[in-house]
Amino acid sequence: MSQDAPGGFAGKLLRVNLTTGKVWTETFSPQEWRDYLGGVGIGAKILYEEVPPKVNWDHPENRLILATGPFAGLPVWGTGGLTVITRGALTNGATSTQANGFFGANIKYSGYDGIVLQGQAKNWVYLYIHDDTVELRDAKHLLGKDTWETQDALQEETGFYGHQLSVYTSGIAGENKVRFAAIHGDYGHVASKNGCGAVMGAKRLKAVAIVRGSHALKVHDVKGLYAAADKIGNELRTDATTKGLYAYGTLPGVRNLAKLGVLPIKNYTTNEWPEGVDTNQWEGPGLRAGFDHRGHQCSSCGMHHCHQQVIAKGKHKGEIVDEPEYEGWSGAGWAIGCTDPQQVSWLNTQIDRACVDVNEFGWLMGWTMECYEKGYITREQLGGIDLKWGDAEAANQLLQKIIRREGFGDVLAEGVKRASEKLGGPAADCAIYVAKGSSPRGHDHRGRWEEMLDTALGSTGTLESGMAIAPQELGLPLRINPFDPDAVSRLVAGMLGRRHFEDSLGSCLFTTRTTLEVLCQALNAATGWDYTPEDAMRFGRRTACLLRAFNVRSGIGPELEKPSVRYGSTPHDGPAKGQDIMQHWESMIASWYERVGYDRKTGNPKPDLLKSLGLEDVAKDVWGAKA
């Protein structure tokens, strides 16, 4: 542990140059740790300073940053968090995506707050970390193995099993630089957004394997930390808004979102619940009741989700799979018209093992199924696969072609935006994406306008302000009319920064669903600081500015902040029937820009805002003499 590091920090980053094999550490001053925290905070700093515009996502000098934060390894719920920051493959812009499991705790106990990878290995390698031992090892024998097989193999090779060894890999999809390849670890935890796994594959890095180390962590105020942690846990267990999350994870979202018209059904072609489907089966208890299951929780977590379960019937009876979270039920289920929970659960695990983003897969497969039904894509193009709505087996057959870039799978491996543009014609209008190249989370955002606006405006390839928690502490209403354009833009602008703060702590967003006041209490107990909610939002806004400036510098401007034709379409049935966001789009965009202090013409944060956040050097980079 660095003597200068505040409580909660190991005090150094591990740096690895894959080209040369050089390994070294980097330390920061106590003030720098306070300024950048960890996670996306430290990642945004490194990305902006070290990845110039000409270094694209697959360039060796792109950085792949695997960072955690001050909560990781401490007795706060869900503190095994990993944030991946890089220049991603879908947008060729900034990426911040999170996974949980045990990575955060293992790397912290090895004496590091994160890993910064650069260069490109000559031959395939994996990175092995065990306390002070850091080695690049030959990975040729791991090629062609899926995510679970890779973890199995490295457990046998190292002699460390279960929670002793955290393995994160980009799987077969990463090997073949599939643009929506993810980074998967600990049998079911996925950093999924913006093709971060393709970046890992481009570096010829098959996996990172971290033994749970023996380095101690210190905290400033042990009693205060336990008190804050107990408060967070008690709120999750007892608050009316989080009791369901505590008991079932995100499973209740399926039925709840369907009631609002926000469950994406068959590629946005309908919002109506299909006839003959048992609605009770799709409640949280109903989804879990159909399987034998066991807990598979993350580090320091008391939540009742992240289970593993057994397929109870059908072709795959007896197979052990992950219990899908909401986005698995969506991307492997409703988005492609599959309404058999056994089949959805099985397919969701095949997607994880293949190591692709389940959301992008859902939009891609839903688009392909619709195009197949309408004759825009033929069975011959699909290599003989009869790809009908809801067919999980056929979807998996095509998935295996995609991750190996075989036949038409090579086209689909580019993601839904590029694949639809390649086909062109009426097929292009069926695809769901943002013009930047990213795709939405697993919702029908035509019934949740704040998430569509946030997805289009965000700088990280996914939501940047989304899932508003306790907005009233920021002077925003607890609830809004989801179809009020002014209220929507005000909420999205007002929440900007909060999520970056949370994603820099090394904890799980679903276990820290509390106020900024409580999060700051826990942070201050760990570090000895006097962080306030105002400090937290200032930190988050500064991080957002760095990511935004990075993107604009990379050529990702305001002209790309718009949904595709289908994504921005008007629902013709269901609870959101007739709600047309596009008639308000330009006014909502303009309102957001004004409220966050960004320049509408260039997309950049304005000079005065950058200076007020302590980013004078960025202001000079962005605005030159105008700053």
Side-chain angles (χ1 to χ4, degrees):
M1 181 192 310
S2 169
Q3 296 301 310
D4 294 328
F9 290 88
K12 56 189 177 184
L13 295 178
L14 177 65
R15 291 269 189 166
V16 180
N17 188 318
L18 294 163
T19 303
T20 64
K22 180 182 177 182
V23 174
W24 71 103
T25 59
E26 179 181 14
T27 60
F28 297 99
S29 70
Q31 184 61 46
E32 286 176 311
W33 286 120
R34 182 183 173 111
D35 287 345
Y36 295 103
L37 288 180
V40 65
I42 197 74
K45 167 185 166 63
I46 294 168
L47 198 67
Y48 187 85
E49 292 178 352
E50 300 184 20
V51 181
K54 292 183 179 180
V55 172
N56 293 313
W57 71 269
D58 55 352
H59 192 286
E61 287 311 303
N62 187 15
R63 300 297 191 259
L64 180 64
I65 304 152
L66 312 177
T68 187
F71 284 180
L74 299 183
V76 180
W77 280 29
T79 48
L82 161 67
T83 293
V84 178
I85 308 96
T86 190
R87 188 169 185 176
L90 283 173
T91 68
N92 200 31
T95 303
S96 170
T97 179
Q98 286 67 44
N100 294 293
F102 296 87
F103 178 96
N106 282 20
I107 191 67
K108 191 70 75 66
Y109 294 150
S110 294
Y112 309 105
D113 295 289
I115 308 168
V116 183
L117 296 140
Q118 65 192 74
Q120 180 188 63
K122 182 178 180 180
N123 300 302
W124 283 92
V125 297
Y126 75 91
L127 178 65
Y128 175 77
I129 301 170
H130 183 188
D131 282 332
D132 299 327
T133 298
V134 180
E135 297 175 344
L136 289 170
R137 296 181 172 182
D138 180 56
K140 287 195 295 291
H141 62 297
L142 301 174
L143 297 183
K145 294 186 183 297
D146 70 24
T147 59
W148 287 24
E149 291 168 341
T150 300
Q151 182 139 1
D152 288 345
L154 288 177
Q155 286 184 154
E156 291 294 327
E157 186 171 321
T158 63
F160 293 99
Y161 296 87
H163 300 161
Q164 292 178 303
L165 184 72
S166 183
V167 175
Y168 277 77
T169 174
S170 58
I172 300 170
E175 289 177 27
N176 294 304
K177 293 189 282 190
V178 172
R179 278 199 189 246
F180 55 103
I183 298 177
H184 176 287
D186 295 333
Y187 299 108
H189 301 284
V190 190
S192 61
K193 295 295 171 279
N194 208 15
C196 59
V199 177
M200 192 169 176
K203 293 188 174 300
R204 298 196 187 100
L205 178 68
K206 176 65 177 181
V208 177
I210 309 171
V211 179
R212 191 174 182 87
S214 60
H215 288 250
L217 289 176
K218 66 177 182 179
V219 296
H220 174 76
D221 177 4
V222 175
K223 290 183 178 179
L225 180 66
Y226 275 110
D230 285 347
K231 187 180 295 186
I232 291 169
N234 185 62
E235 286 181 6
L236 280 169
R237 292 190 299 268
T238 61
D239 190 276
T241 62
T242 56
K243 287 170 66 176
L245 181 67
Y246 165 73
Y248 295 102
T250 56
L251 272 62
V254 178
R255 192 69 188 100
N256 293 341
L257 292 179
K259 295 173 183 177
L260 302 173
V262 182
L263 181 68
I265 303 175
K266 295 177 71 173
N267 200 44
Y268 282 20
T269 58
T270 182
N271 285 114
E272 295 285 0
W273 198 262
E275 291 186 14
V277 174
D278 181 1
T279 58
N280 291 327
Q281 187 180 36
W282 288 90
E283 301 281 359
L287 285 173
R288 187 163 286 171
F291 304 89
D292 289 335
H293 61 273
R294 68 176 186 183
H296 182 53
Q297 288 88 341
C298 306
S299 178
S300 302
C301 188
M303 300 275 280
H304 293 270
H305 73 143
C306 293
H307 287 184
Q308 290 191 323
Q309 56 192 26
V310 181
I311 300 295
K313 56 186 178 181
K315 178 180 178 180
H316 302 287
K317 182 179 178 180
E319 291 187 25
I320 296 175
V321 296
D322 294 324
E323 177 181 81
E325 290 294 323
Y326 164 78
E327 290 183 344
W329 295 114
S330 168
W334 289 95
I336 66 171
C338 186
T339 58
D340 178 352
Q342 301 284 332
Q343 286 289 292
V344 177
S345 185
W346 174 79
L347 179 59
N348 174 73
T349 296
Q350 308 320 303
I351 294 166
D352 277 0
R353 294 183 70 145
C355 209
V356 297
D357 175 17
V358 70
N359 288 316
E360 179 77 18
F361 176 82
W363 306 129
L364 181 70
M365 199 58 52
W367 170 75
T368 308
M369 287 178 170
E370 182 181 345
C371 290
Y372 182 72
E373 179 184 59
K374 292 178 175 178
Y376 306 151
I377 294 175
T378 67
R379 187 167 182 169
E380 182 180 11
Q381 282 176 291
L382 298 178
I385 298 173
D386 187 17
L387 192 70
K388 295 178 180 178
W389 285 115
D391 190 335
E393 296 288 343
N396 182 58
Q397 289 178 43
L398 191 52
L399 170 64
Q400 300 309 315
K401 290 181 178 293
I402 290 168
I403 64 173
R404 294 169 176 83
R405 287 186 172 270
E406 295 173 354
F408 195 65
D410 188 46
V411 176
L412 299 178
E414 292 296 295
V416 66
K417 177 182 186 289
R418 291 172 177 83
S420 64
E421 289 175 340
K422 187 174 182 65
L423 251 66
D429 291 342
C430 302
I432 295 169
Y433 60 88
V434 175
K436 287 181 285 192
S438 55
S439 59
R441 307 298 292 242
H443 305 143
D444 189 333
H445 287 163
R446 301 174 304 172
R448 185 174 275 182
W449 287 4
E450 70 268 23
E451 291 194 8
M452 187 183 293
L453 184 68
D454 187 16
T455 302
L457 289 167
S459 299
T460 60
T462 186
L463 296 177
E464 192 168 16
S465 301
M467 297 176 62
I469 301 168
Q472 65 275 21
E473 68 177 327
L474 299 176
L476 299 164
L478 182 61
R479 292 181 179 84
I480 64 168
N481 176 350
F483 307 117
D484 179 335
D486 187 65
V488 166
S489 62
R490 187 185 310 121
L491 177 69
V492 175
M495 294 301 297
L496 180 63
R498 174 176 174 137
R499 189 160 186 174
H500 291 323
F501 174 67
E502 294 168 331
D503 288 342
S504 299
L505 295 175
S507 57
C508 172
L509 182 68
F510 291 107
T511 61
T512 53
R513 292 185 68 83
T514 186
T515 63
L516 287 173
E517 186 71 41
V518 173
L519 290 178
C520 288
Q521 287 175 15
L523 179 62
N524 292 336
T527 61
W529 296 338
D530 55 356
Y531 236 76
T532 66
E534 292 74 22
D535 292 328
M537 289 302 294
R538 185 177 187 274
F539 164 86
R541 295 286 175 125
R542 189 175 70 245
T543 302
C545 283
L546 280 172
L547 295 166
R548 166 64 64 143
F550 176 85
N551 274 5
V552 175
R553 185 178 71 181
S554 300
I556 303 171
E559 70 280 0
L560 298 176
E561 293 170 342
K562 58 185 179 182
S564 65
V565 172
R566 176 64 62 79
Y567 187 23
S569 62
T570 303
H572 63 83
D573 60 12
K577 180 180 178 179
Q579 298 292 348
D580 177 14
I581 190 174
M582 295 314 295
Q583 66 176 315
H584 306 290
W585 190 256
E586 288 304 318
S587 65
M588 292 167 70
I589 292 277
S591 174
W592 181 87
Y593 266 92
E594 182 179 356
R595 287 185 166 112
V596 299
Y598 293 178
D599 178 64
R600 181 70 178 90
K601 183 177 180 181
T602 65
N604 270 312
K606 293 180 179 178
D608 288 347
L609 173 62
L610 292 169
K611 292 176 182 177
S612 72
L613 295 171
L615 296 173
E616 290 84 358
D617 289 345
V618 178
K620 292 178 183 176
D621 288 345
V622 170
W623 294 101
K626 295 180 180 179

